[in-house]
Amino acid sequence: MTELTQNPAVGSAASDDSKAGHPMWSSRLAFILAASGSAVGLGNIWKFPYITGENGGGAFVLVYLLCIALIGIPIMVAEVAIGRRGGCSPINSMRKLASRDGLSKRWVWLGGMGMIASFLILSFYSVIGGWALAYVGNSAGGLFVGASSESIGAMFGGLLSDPYTLLMWHSLFMVLVIMIVARGVSSGMEKAINILMPLLFALILVMVGYAMSTDSFGAGFSFLFSPDFSKLTTEGVLTALGHAFFTLSLGMGVMMAYGSYLPKNVSIVKTAFTVSVVDTVVALLAGLAIFPLVFSNGMEPGAGPGLIFQTLPIAFGQMPGGVLFGTLFFVLLVVAAVTSAISLLEPVVEWFEEQKGINRLNGALIGGLSIWALGILTILSLNEWSGFHPLGMFERFEGKTIFDLLDYVTANLMMPLGGLFIALFMGWFMSKQAAENELSIGNGAAFKLFMFILRFVTPAAVLVVFVYNLM
Ligand code: PFF
C-alpha cells in the first residue's frame, strides 16, 4: 500500500492520535481507490445478479438498496472512523480504543471475529476467482464463439465437476494474492488499478449496451426494478442485508484497517458515500447486463452461482469482437477479485506483524496457505461432496453444502453481527467528542441525524432481520 507515504505534513495532522510514523494514504483518491478495490469484486458481478435471480428480482433489489443506504453507509462511516482513531490493525485498534475509553477488553473480539470471517470468505472467494481465471482461457481460446446456451451450460458444468481443474485455478488465484500481499501492494499496482477499474466499468457498459440490443432488455429491466413483494421471503431480506455487508466489505475490520491509514483532514462521510455509490452502480449495471440475456435465452434467473458464467459467454460468442471483449472482461473480473482478496488477507498479515513479529512474507504464506487448504472444502462441495449437507438436520440449512454454509455464515451472520457491534461501539461507547472529531461535520443537525441512525436505526434494523429469521 504505497500510495501510503510517510508524509510528514499528514503525519503531524494525525499526531494527536500518536500516529506519527504510521504511514498514511497519500490522498483521498488513493483511499477511495483502495476501498473501492476492496468493495468492487465478485460480490458485484458474480453474487449480486445470482442472488437477485434466486430471490425474485425487484423487491429484493429494493431491500438491498435500502440496506446499503440505511445500514451499509452508516456502518462504513463508523468502521473507517474507528480505524482512523485506532490507527492499527483491527484487533489492536479495538484494544487501544477500548482501553483508552475504559471499556471492556472483550471489544477485541470484534476484530478477532472479523479476522476469522476473512479467512472463511477468502477460502471460497478464491475458488470463484479461479472460475474467472478459467474463463479467461476459455474466452481467449475462442470457445464461446457461436456456442449455444446448452453448450455454454455444459462447459460450466464440466468445470464444476472436475476437482483437479478447480484446484489448479484456485491455487493460481491464491498464489497471485499471496505474492502481492507478501511484496506489499506496490504503487505500480495502485496505478494499474487506477486504469483497470475504470476499464472494467467501461466493459460492463459495453455489456449493458449489448443487452439493450436484445429484445429482452425491457424484461430484464423490469425484473430488476419493478418490485413484486409476493416474491420476497424473510430469508430473502436477510440475504439482502448480508449482501449489503459483503459487497461493501463491512463488519469485519477491512474498512477499519484501511481507515487506519486515512489522513485526518479527509472527510470520512463523503468518502464512504462515494465508495458505496460506486459499488452499488457497478452491481446494478452488472444486473442490467445479465438479466436481458437470461430472458432472451430462455434461462432461469434462479440458476444459482453459475449465472454469469452461463449467460455472458453467450453474448461474447455472438457479438462482434467477442473474443477480445470476453477475454478482457474476465481478466478485469480477475483483477477486481484480486483487489478484494488482497483486502481479506492484508489485515491477517498486518496482525501477524504487530503481534507475533512474523514478517510480511511469512505472514502472507502462513495465512494464504491455510486459506488455500480450507478452499479445498469448497471445491469438493461442488462435485464429490455435493450431496453432503452437514447441517441438513436443521430446516434452514437443508440442502446446503459446505460452500453454501461458509457463504451463509459469513455474509448473513458474522458480517451483520460485526456491523451491529461497530454501530453500537461508535454510537454508544466511543466518546461523543471523538465521534465529532472523526466525522468533522460539526455537531449540528447532520451530526445528530447520523448518530441517531447509528444508535437506533442501524442496530434495530439488523436485530429485526435477525429475529425474524430465527423465528
Ligand atoms: N466486497 C467484496 C466483493 O463484493 O466482492 C468481497 C469482500 C471483500 C468481502 C473484503 C469482505 C471483505 F472484507
Side-chain angles (χ1 to χ4, degrees), residues 162-204:
D162 178 358
Y164 295 103
T165 306
L166 289 172
L167 183 64
M168 177 184 85
W169 293 117
H170 162 57
S171 310
L172 185 60
F173 188 90
M174 271 319 290
V175 167
L176 280 175
V177 175
I178 294 174
M179 267 170 39
I180 296 172
V181 173
R183 298 181 54 206
V185 180
S186 71
S187 59
M189 165 124 178
E190 286 212 352
K191 290 205 186 82
I193 293 172
N194 206 346
I195 302 167
L196 295 175
M197 293 302 262
L199 198 57
L200 174 67
F201 194 80
L203 259 185
I204 296 175

mmCIF file of all heavy atoms in Angstrom, residues 162-204:
data_model
loop_
_atom_site.group_PDB
_atom_site.id
_atom_site.type_symbol
_atom_site.label_atom_id
_atom_site.label_comp_id
_atom_site.label_asym_id
_atom_site.label_seq_id
_atom_site.Cartn_x
_atom_site.Cartn_y
_atom_site.Cartn_z
ATOM 1 N N ASP A 162 -15.044 -31.079 -12.092
ATOM 2 C CA ASP A 162 -13.668 -31.562 -12.125
ATOM 3 C C ASP A 162 -12.814 -30.934 -11.010
ATOM 4 O O ASP A 162 -12.275 -29.845 -11.152
ATOM 5 C CB ASP A 162 -13.086 -31.203 -13.506
ATOM 6 C CG ASP A 162 -11.640 -31.618 -13.653
ATOM 7 O OD1 ASP A 162 -11.061 -32.149 -12.677
ATOM 8 O OD2 ASP A 162 -11.084 -31.386 -14.734
ATOM 9 N N PRO A 163 -12.691 -31.635 -9.880
ATOM 10 C CA PRO A 163 -12.000 -31.045 -8.730
ATOM 11 C C PRO A 163 -10.554 -30.658 -9.022
ATOM 12 O O PRO A 163 -10.058 -29.673 -8.475
ATOM 13 C CB PRO A 163 -12.058 -32.129 -7.648
ATOM 14 C CG PRO A 163 -12.597 -33.347 -8.291
ATOM 15 C CD PRO A 163 -13.216 -32.967 -9.599
ATOM 16 N N TYR A 164 -9.873 -31.414 -9.885
ATOM 17 C CA TYR A 164 -8.455 -31.110 -10.105
ATOM 18 C C TYR A 164 -8.276 -29.799 -10.866
ATOM 19 O O TYR A 164 -7.397 -28.993 -10.557
ATOM 20 C CB TYR A 164 -7.755 -32.270 -10.819
ATOM 21 C CG TYR A 164 -7.735 -33.492 -9.927
ATOM 22 C CD1 TYR A 164 -8.616 -34.547 -10.143
ATOM 23 C CD2 TYR A 164 -6.880 -33.533 -8.827
ATOM 24 C CE1 TYR A 164 -8.636 -35.635 -9.279
ATOM 25 C CE2 TYR A 164 -6.894 -34.618 -7.964
ATOM 26 C CZ TYR A 164 -7.772 -35.663 -8.191
ATOM 27 O OH TYR A 164 -7.794 -36.727 -7.337
ATOM 28 N N THR A 165 -9.136 -29.600 -11.873
ATOM 29 C CA THR A 165 -9.051 -28.338 -12.609
ATOM 30 C C THR A 165 -9.395 -27.177 -11.682
ATOM 31 O O THR A 165 -8.721 -26.135 -11.676
ATOM 32 C CB THR A 165 -10.018 -28.373 -13.807
ATOM 33 O OG1 THR A 165 -9.716 -29.531 -14.567
ATOM 34 C CG2 THR A 165 -9.872 -27.145 -14.674
ATOM 35 N N LEU A 166 -10.437 -27.360 -10.873
ATOM 36 C CA LEU A 166 -10.813 -26.289 -9.937
ATOM 37 C C LEU A 166 -9.662 -25.985 -8.977
ATOM 38 O O LEU A 166 -9.372 -24.826 -8.674
ATOM 39 C CB LEU A 166 -12.054 -26.688 -9.133
ATOM 40 C CG LEU A 166 -13.373 -26.726 -9.910
ATOM 41 C CD1 LEU A 166 -14.475 -27.327 -9.040
ATOM 42 C CD2 LEU A 166 -13.767 -25.327 -10.369
ATOM 43 N N LEU A 167 -9.005 -27.056 -8.532
ATOM 44 C CA LEU A 167 -7.902 -26.872 -7.589
ATOM 45 C C LEU A 167 -6.759 -26.100 -8.240
ATOM 46 O O LEU A 167 -6.149 -25.218 -7.624
ATOM 47 C CB LEU A 167 -7.401 -28.237 -7.095
ATOM 48 C CG LEU A 167 -6.293 -28.170 -6.042
ATOM 49 C CD1 LEU A 167 -6.808 -27.509 -4.764
ATOM 50 C CD2 LEU A 167 -5.763 -29.560 -5.708
ATOM 51 N N MET A 168 -6.515 -26.418 -9.510
ATOM 52 C CA MET A 168 -5.427 -25.722 -10.200
ATOM 53 C C MET A 168 -5.716 -24.214 -10.270
ATOM 54 O O MET A 168 -4.876 -23.386 -9.928
ATOM 55 C CB MET A 168 -5.288 -26.302 -11.608
ATOM 56 C CG MET A 168 -4.249 -25.622 -12.441
ATOM 57 S SD MET A 168 -4.255 -26.313 -14.100
ATOM 58 C CE MET A 168 -5.528 -25.374 -14.881
ATOM 59 N N TRP A 169 -6.942 -23.841 -10.647
ATOM 60 C CA TRP A 169 -7.259 -22.417 -10.773
ATOM 61 C C TRP A 169 -7.314 -21.731 -9.408
ATOM 62 O O TRP A 169 -6.870 -20.596 -9.253
ATOM 63 C CB TRP A 169 -8.585 -22.223 -11.525
ATOM 64 C CG TRP A 169 -8.518 -22.636 -12.966
ATOM 65 C CD1 TRP A 169 -9.237 -23.635 -13.560
ATOM 66 C CD2 TRP A 169 -7.681 -22.074 -13.989
ATOM 67 N NE1 TRP A 169 -8.902 -23.733 -14.893
ATOM 68 C CE2 TRP A 169 -7.953 -22.789 -15.189
ATOM 69 C CE3 TRP A 169 -6.734 -21.050 -14.018
ATOM 70 C CZ2 TRP A 169 -7.315 -22.499 -16.391
ATOM 71 C CZ3 TRP A 169 -6.095 -20.764 -15.211
ATOM 72 C CH2 TRP A 169 -6.389 -21.486 -16.381
ATOM 73 N N HIS A 170 -7.868 -22.434 -8.431
ATOM 74 C CA HIS A 170 -7.906 -21.892 -7.066
ATOM 75 C C HIS A 170 -6.470 -21.634 -6.578
ATOM 76 O O HIS A 170 -6.167 -20.587 -6.004
ATOM 77 C CB HIS A 170 -8.643 -22.901 -6.172
ATOM 78 C CG HIS A 170 -8.433 -22.753 -4.694
ATOM 79 N ND1 HIS A 170 -8.710 -21.596 -4.006
ATOM 80 C CD2 HIS A 170 -7.986 -23.646 -3.756
ATOM 81 C CE1 HIS A 170 -8.444 -21.780 -2.708
ATOM 82 N NE2 HIS A 170 -7.993 -23.000 -2.534
ATOM 83 N N SER A 171 -5.572 -22.585 -6.859
ATOM 84 C CA SER A 171 -4.184 -22.417 -6.415
ATOM 85 C C SER A 171 -3.549 -21.213 -7.095
ATOM 86 O O SER A 171 -2.876 -20.401 -6.450
ATOM 87 C CB SER A 171 -3.347 -23.657 -6.738
ATOM 88 O OG SER A 171 -3.998 -24.821 -6.283
ATOM 89 N N LEU A 172 -3.787 -21.088 -8.393
ATOM 90 C CA LEU A 172 -3.198 -19.969 -9.130
ATOM 91 C C LEU A 172 -3.701 -18.637 -8.562
ATOM 92 O O LEU A 172 -2.924 -17.690 -8.361
ATOM 93 C CB LEU A 172 -3.554 -20.092 -10.620
ATOM 94 C CG LEU A 172 -2.918 -19.054 -11.530
ATOM 95 C CD1 LEU A 172 -1.404 -19.138 -11.466
ATOM 96 C CD2 LEU A 172 -3.374 -19.254 -12.991
ATOM 97 N N PHE A 173 -4.980 -18.600 -8.269
ATOM 98 C CA PHE A 173 -5.548 -17.362 -7.720
ATOM 99 C C PHE A 173 -4.895 -17.029 -6.377
ATOM 100 O O PHE A 173 -4.461 -15.901 -6.134
ATOM 101 C CB PHE A 173 -7.072 -17.508 -7.560
ATOM 102 C CG PHE A 173 -7.761 -16.226 -7.175
ATOM 103 C CD1 PHE A 173 -8.228 -15.349 -8.143
ATOM 104 C CD2 PHE A 173 -7.948 -15.883 -5.843
ATOM 105 C CE1 PHE A 173 -8.859 -14.153 -7.799
ATOM 106 C CE2 PHE A 173 -8.567 -14.695 -5.481
ATOM 107 C CZ PHE A 173 -9.026 -13.825 -6.470
ATOM 108 N N MET A 174 -4.768 -18.039 -5.512
ATOM 109 C CA MET A 174 -4.171 -17.788 -4.188
ATOM 110 C C MET A 174 -2.701 -17.392 -4.313
ATOM 111 O O MET A 174 -2.215 -16.552 -3.555
ATOM 112 C CB MET A 174 -4.289 -19.028 -3.284
ATOM 113 C CG MET A 174 -5.546 -19.143 -2.464
ATOM 114 S SD MET A 174 -6.195 -17.663 -1.676
ATOM 115 C CE MET A 174 -5.029 -17.302 -0.401
ATOM 116 N N VAL A 175 -1.992 -17.998 -5.278
ATOM 117 C CA VAL A 175 -0.586 -17.634 -5.470
ATOM 118 C C VAL A 175 -0.487 -16.146 -5.827
ATOM 119 O O VAL A 175 0.341 -15.413 -5.272
ATOM 120 C CB VAL A 175 0.071 -18.507 -6.565
ATOM 121 C CG1 VAL A 175 1.413 -17.921 -6.990
ATOM 122 C CG2 VAL A 175 0.270 -19.923 -6.046
ATOM 123 N N LEU A 176 -1.359 -15.710 -6.730
ATOM 124 C CA LEU A 176 -1.363 -14.287 -7.100
ATOM 125 C C LEU A 176 -1.563 -13.409 -5.857
ATOM 126 O O LEU A 176 -0.828 -12.443 -5.638
ATOM 127 C CB LEU A 176 -2.524 -13.998 -8.065
ATOM 128 C CG LEU A 176 -2.331 -14.343 -9.528
ATOM 129 C CD1 LEU A 176 -3.631 -14.105 -10.301
ATOM 130 C CD2 LEU A 176 -1.218 -13.456 -10.092
ATOM 131 N N VAL A 177 -2.562 -13.768 -5.064
ATOM 132 C CA VAL A 177 -2.896 -12.945 -3.897
ATOM 133 C C VAL A 177 -1.752 -12.952 -2.886
ATOM 134 O O VAL A 177 -1.346 -11.900 -2.377
ATOM 135 C CB VAL A 177 -4.205 -13.456 -3.237
ATOM 136 C CG1 VAL A 177 -4.497 -12.696 -1.953
ATOM 137 C CG2 VAL A 177 -5.367 -13.326 -4.206
ATOM 138 N N ILE A 178 -1.191 -14.138 -2.631
ATOM 139 C CA ILE A 178 -0.103 -14.233 -1.653
ATOM 140 C C ILE A 178 1.104 -13.412 -2.131
ATOM 141 O O ILE A 178 1.724 -12.679 -1.362
ATOM 142 C CB ILE A 178 0.306 -15.711 -1.417
ATOM 143 C CG1 ILE A 178 -0.837 -16.466 -0.745
ATOM 144 C CG2 ILE A 178 1.579 -15.802 -0.569
ATOM 145 C CD1 ILE A 178 -0.593 -17.960 -0.612
ATOM 146 N N MET A 179 1.401 -13.524 -3.436
ATOM 147 C CA MET A 179 2.562 -12.792 -3.956
ATOM 148 C C MET A 179 2.405 -11.285 -3.768
ATOM 149 O O MET A 179 3.331 -10.596 -3.336
ATOM 150 C CB MET A 179 2.744 -13.089 -5.447
ATOM 151 C CG MET A 179 3.704 -14.235 -5.695
ATOM 152 S SD MET A 179 3.730 -14.796 -7.409
ATOM 153 C CE MET A 179 3.595 -13.294 -8.326
ATOM 154 N N ILE A 180 1.213 -10.796 -4.090
ATOM 155 C CA ILE A 180 1.005 -9.353 -3.983
ATOM 156 C C ILE A 180 1.065 -8.902 -2.527
ATOM 157 O O ILE A 180 1.737 -7.931 -2.189
ATOM 158 C CB ILE A 180 -0.338 -8.953 -4.625
ATOM 159 C CG1 ILE A 180 -0.285 -9.252 -6.120
ATOM 160 C CG2 ILE A 180 -0.637 -7.481 -4.383
ATOM 161 C CD1 ILE A 180 -1.606 -9.093 -6.822
ATOM 162 N N VAL A 181 0.390 -9.648 -1.659
ATOM 163 C CA VAL A 181 0.380 -9.245 -0.248
ATOM 164 C C VAL A 181 1.779 -9.372 0.355
ATOM 165 O O VAL A 181 2.210 -8.531 1.143
ATOM 166 C CB VAL A 181 -0.661 -10.055 0.556
ATOM 167 C CG1 VAL A 181 -0.555 -9.769 2.039
ATOM 168 C CG2 VAL A 181 -2.067 -9.734 0.062
ATOM 169 N N ALA A 182 2.514 -10.398 -0.050
ATOM 170 C CA ALA A 182 3.847 -10.598 0.506
ATOM 171 C C ALA A 182 4.790 -9.452 0.135
ATOM 172 O O ALA A 182 5.627 -9.037 0.928
ATOM 173 C CB ALA A 182 4.432 -11.929 0.019
ATOM 174 N N ARG A 183 4.643 -8.945 -1.077
ATOM 175 C CA ARG A 183 5.532 -7.856 -1.512
ATOM 176 C C ARG A 183 5.066 -6.512 -0.984
ATOM 177 O O ARG A 183 5.787 -5.515 -1.067
ATOM 178 C CB ARG A 183 5.586 -7.786 -3.038
ATOM 179 C CG ARG A 183 6.157 -9.048 -3.658
ATOM 180 C CD ARG A 183 6.211 -8.927 -5.158
ATOM 181 N NE ARG A 183 6.923 -7.725 -5.564
ATOM 182 C CZ ARG A 183 6.733 -7.096 -6.719
ATOM 183 N NH1 ARG A 183 5.812 -7.536 -7.551
ATOM 184 N NH2 ARG A 183 7.426 -6.032 -7.024
ATOM 185 N N GLY A 184 3.839 -6.455 -0.479
ATOM 186 C CA GLY A 184 3.261 -5.174 -0.129
ATOM 187 C C GLY A 184 2.671 -4.619 -1.414
ATOM 188 O O GLY A 184 3.262 -4.766 -2.485
ATOM 189 N N VAL A 185 1.495 -4.038 -1.302
ATOM 190 C CA VAL A 185 0.845 -3.554 -2.514
ATOM 191 C C VAL A 185 1.661 -2.380 -3.035
ATOM 192 O O VAL A 185 1.798 -1.366 -2.386
ATOM 193 C CB VAL A 185 -0.599 -3.130 -2.213
ATOM 194 C CG1 VAL A 185 -1.263 -2.636 -3.469
ATOM 195 C CG2 VAL A 185 -1.368 -4.292 -1.620
ATOM 196 N N SER A 186 2.233 -2.555 -4.227
ATOM 197 C CA SER A 186 3.163 -1.549 -4.716
ATOM 198 C C SER A 186 2.440 -0.377 -5.349
ATOM 199 O O SER A 186 1.279 -0.477 -5.732
ATOM 200 C CB SER A 186 4.078 -2.168 -5.764
ATOM 201 O OG SER A 186 3.314 -2.402 -6.918
ATOM 202 N N SER A 187 3.141 0.723 -5.475
ATOM 203 C CA SER A 187 2.493 1.878 -6.084
ATOM 204 C C SER A 187 2.208 1.590 -7.555
ATOM 205 O O SER A 187 1.246 2.074 -8.118
ATOM 206 C CB SER A 187 3.370 3.110 -5.932
ATOM 207 O OG SER A 187 4.600 2.866 -6.550
ATOM 208 N N GLY A 188 3.060 0.753 -8.180
ATOM 209 C CA GLY A 188 2.815 0.368 -9.563
ATOM 210 C C GLY A 188 1.470 -0.308 -9.693
ATOM 211 O O GLY A 188 0.686 -0.044 -10.606
ATOM 212 N N MET A 189 1.200 -1.165 -8.720
ATOM 213 C CA MET A 189 -0.060 -1.890 -8.761
ATOM 214 C C MET A 189 -1.237 -0.921 -8.563
ATOM 215 O O MET A 189 -2.269 -1.045 -9.218
ATOM 216 C CB MET A 189 -0.035 -2.930 -7.659
ATOM 217 C CG MET A 189 -1.377 -3.458 -7.390
ATOM 218 S SD MET A 189 -1.420 -5.208 -7.556
ATOM 219 C CE MET A 189 -3.122 -5.422 -7.114
ATOM 220 N N GLU A 190 -1.042 0.049 -7.674
ATOM 221 C CA GLU A 190 -2.142 1.003 -7.479
ATOM 222 C C GLU A 190 -2.401 1.806 -8.738
ATOM 223 O O GLU A 190 -3.538 2.099 -9.072
ATOM 224 C CB GLU A 190 -1.852 1.924 -6.302
ATOM 225 C CG GLU A 190 -2.032 1.187 -5.010
ATOM 226 C CD GLU A 190 -2.527 2.074 -3.892
ATOM 227 O OE1 GLU A 190 -2.578 3.304 -4.087
ATOM 228 O OE2 GLU A 190 -2.854 1.531 -2.834
ATOM 229 N N LYS A 191 -1.329 2.119 -9.428
ATOM 230 C CA LYS A 191 -1.511 2.860 -10.682
ATOM 231 C C LYS A 191 -2.247 1.991 -11.688
ATOM 232 O O LYS A 191 -3.106 2.460 -12.435
ATOM 233 C CB LYS A 191 -0.158 3.293 -11.246
ATOM 234 C CG LYS A 191 0.480 4.371 -10.409
ATOM 235 C CD LYS A 191 1.466 5.217 -11.209
ATOM 236 C CE LYS A 191 2.177 6.192 -10.292
ATOM 237 N NZ LYS A 191 3.322 5.555 -9.562
ATOM 238 N N ALA A 192 -1.902 0.697 -11.692
ATOM 239 C CA ALA A 192 -2.570 -0.203 -12.629
ATOM 240 C C ALA A 192 -4.067 -0.267 -12.319
ATOM 241 O O ALA A 192 -4.908 -0.201 -13.222
ATOM 242 C CB ALA A 192 -1.945 -1.592 -12.544
ATOM 243 N N ILE A 193 -4.385 -0.355 -11.019
ATOM 244 C CA ILE A 193 -5.799 -0.438 -10.638
ATOM 245 C C ILE A 193 -6.540 0.825 -11.067
ATOM 246 O O ILE A 193 -7.688 0.781 -11.513
ATOM 247 C CB ILE A 193 -5.925 -0.624 -9.119
ATOM 248 C CG1 ILE A 193 -5.373 -1.992 -8.743
ATOM 249 C CG2 ILE A 193 -7.366 -0.512 -8.661
ATOM 250 C CD1 ILE A 193 -5.260 -2.205 -7.266
ATOM 251 N N ASN A 194 -5.823 1.920 -10.961
ATOM 252 C CA ASN A 194 -6.345 3.211 -11.357
ATOM 253 C C ASN A 194 -6.867 3.203 -12.794
ATOM 254 O O ASN A 194 -7.818 3.895 -13.153
ATOM 255 C CB ASN A 194 -5.178 4.196 -11.236
ATOM 256 C CG ASN A 194 -5.645 5.589 -10.993
ATOM 257 O OD1 ASN A 194 -6.822 5.871 -11.165
ATOM 258 N ND2 ASN A 194 -4.734 6.456 -10.591
ATOM 259 N N ILE A 195 -6.221 2.402 -13.625
ATOM 260 C CA ILE A 195 -6.647 2.310 -15.029
ATOM 261 C C ILE A 195 -7.624 1.153 -15.221
ATOM 262 O O ILE A 195 -8.613 1.253 -15.928
ATOM 263 C CB ILE A 195 -5.416 2.074 -15.931
ATOM 264 C CG1 ILE A 195 -4.428 3.216 -15.740
ATOM 265 C CG2 ILE A 195 -5.822 1.929 -17.386
ATOM 266 C CD1 ILE A 195 -3.063 2.925 -16.320
ATOM 267 N N LEU A 196 -7.328 0.030 -14.530
ATOM 268 C CA LEU A 196 -8.098 -1.181 -14.803
ATOM 269 C C LEU A 196 -9.531 -1.105 -14.284
ATOM 270 O O LEU A 196 -10.451 -1.615 -14.919
ATOM 271 C CB LEU A 196 -7.383 -2.395 -14.206
ATOM 272 C CG LEU A 196 -6.030 -2.692 -14.859
ATOM 273 C CD1 LEU A 196 -5.323 -3.833 -14.143
ATOM 274 C CD2 LEU A 196 -6.204 -3.043 -16.334
ATOM 275 N N MET A 197 -9.727 -0.451 -13.133
ATOM 276 C CA MET A 197 -11.095 -0.400 -12.603
ATOM 277 C C MET A 197 -12.019 0.400 -13.521
ATOM 278 O O MET A 197 -13.111 -0.059 -13.834
ATOM 279 C CB MET A 197 -11.124 0.153 -11.173
ATOM 280 C CG MET A 197 -10.466 -0.737 -10.145
ATOM 281 S SD MET A 197 -11.190 -2.388 -10.077
ATOM 282 C CE MET A 197 -12.271 -2.187 -8.695
ATOM 283 N N PRO A 198 -11.600 1.583 -13.979
ATOM 284 C CA PRO A 198 -12.464 2.291 -14.934
ATOM 285 C C PRO A 198 -12.686 1.483 -16.218
ATOM 286 O O PRO A 198 -13.760 1.533 -16.814
ATOM 287 C CB PRO A 198 -11.688 3.577 -15.243
ATOM 288 C CG PRO A 198 -10.802 3.776 -14.069
ATOM 289 C CD PRO A 198 -10.461 2.415 -13.562
ATOM 290 N N LEU A 199 -11.667 0.704 -16.595
ATOM 291 C CA LEU A 199 -11.811 -0.117 -17.796
ATOM 292 C C LEU A 199 -12.874 -1.198 -17.583
ATOM 293 O O LEU A 199 -13.695 -1.481 -18.467
ATOM 294 C CB LEU A 199 -10.457 -0.753 -18.118
ATOM 295 C CG LEU A 199 -10.265 -1.291 -19.520
ATOM 296 C CD1 LEU A 199 -10.505 -0.189 -20.549
ATOM 297 C CD2 LEU A 199 -8.854 -1.848 -19.700
ATOM 298 N N LEU A 200 -12.869 -1.791 -16.404
ATOM 299 C CA LEU A 200 -13.897 -2.787 -16.079
ATOM 300 C C LEU A 200 -15.277 -2.147 -16.180
ATOM 301 O O LEU A 200 -16.217 -2.705 -16.744
ATOM 302 C CB LEU A 200 -13.668 -3.331 -14.660
ATOM 303 C CG LEU A 200 -14.750 -4.274 -14.127
ATOM 304 C CD1 LEU A 200 -14.780 -5.576 -14.913
ATOM 305 C CD2 LEU A 200 -14.547 -4.600 -12.644
ATOM 306 N N PHE A 201 -15.358 -0.949 -15.627
ATOM 307 C CA PHE A 201 -16.604 -0.199 -15.656
ATOM 308 C C PHE A 201 -17.054 0.006 -17.114
ATOM 309 O O PHE A 201 -18.214 -0.237 -17.468
ATOM 310 C CB PHE A 201 -16.357 1.144 -14.962
ATOM 311 C CG PHE A 201 -17.599 1.872 -14.613
ATOM 312 C CD1 PHE A 201 -18.323 1.513 -13.482
ATOM 313 C CD2 PHE A 201 -18.056 2.920 -15.396
ATOM 314 C CE1 PHE A 201 -19.473 2.187 -13.141
ATOM 315 C CE2 PHE A 201 -19.216 3.606 -15.062
ATOM 316 C CZ PHE A 201 -19.926 3.236 -13.940
ATOM 317 N N ALA A 202 -16.101 0.403 -17.955
ATOM 318 C CA ALA A 202 -16.425 0.646 -19.360
ATOM 319 C C ALA A 202 -16.909 -0.636 -20.038
ATOM 320 O O ALA A 202 -17.869 -0.628 -20.815
ATOM 321 C CB ALA A 202 -15.199 1.194 -20.087
ATOM 322 N N LEU A 203 -16.255 -1.750 -19.703
ATOM 323 C CA LEU A 203 -16.653 -3.012 -20.340
ATOM 324 C C LEU A 203 -18.036 -3.461 -19.894
ATOM 325 O O LEU A 203 -18.798 -4.042 -20.663
ATOM 326 C CB LEU A 203 -15.646 -4.099 -20.002
ATOM 327 C CG LEU A 203 -14.652 -4.386 -21.095
ATOM 328 C CD1 LEU A 203 -13.788 -5.560 -20.709
ATOM 329 C CD2 LEU A 203 -15.367 -4.724 -22.415
ATOM 330 N N ILE A 204 -18.352 -3.180 -18.626
ATOM 331 C CA ILE A 204 -19.699 -3.532 -18.168
ATOM 332 C C ILE A 204 -20.709 -2.700 -18.954
ATOM 333 O O ILE A 204 -21.767 -3.193 -19.359
ATOM 334 C CB ILE A 204 -19.844 -3.317 -16.650
ATOM 335 C CG1 ILE A 204 -18.902 -4.260 -15.912
ATOM 336 C CG2 ILE A 204 -21.273 -3.599 -16.202
ATOM 337 C CD1 ILE A 204 -18.872 -4.064 -14.411
#
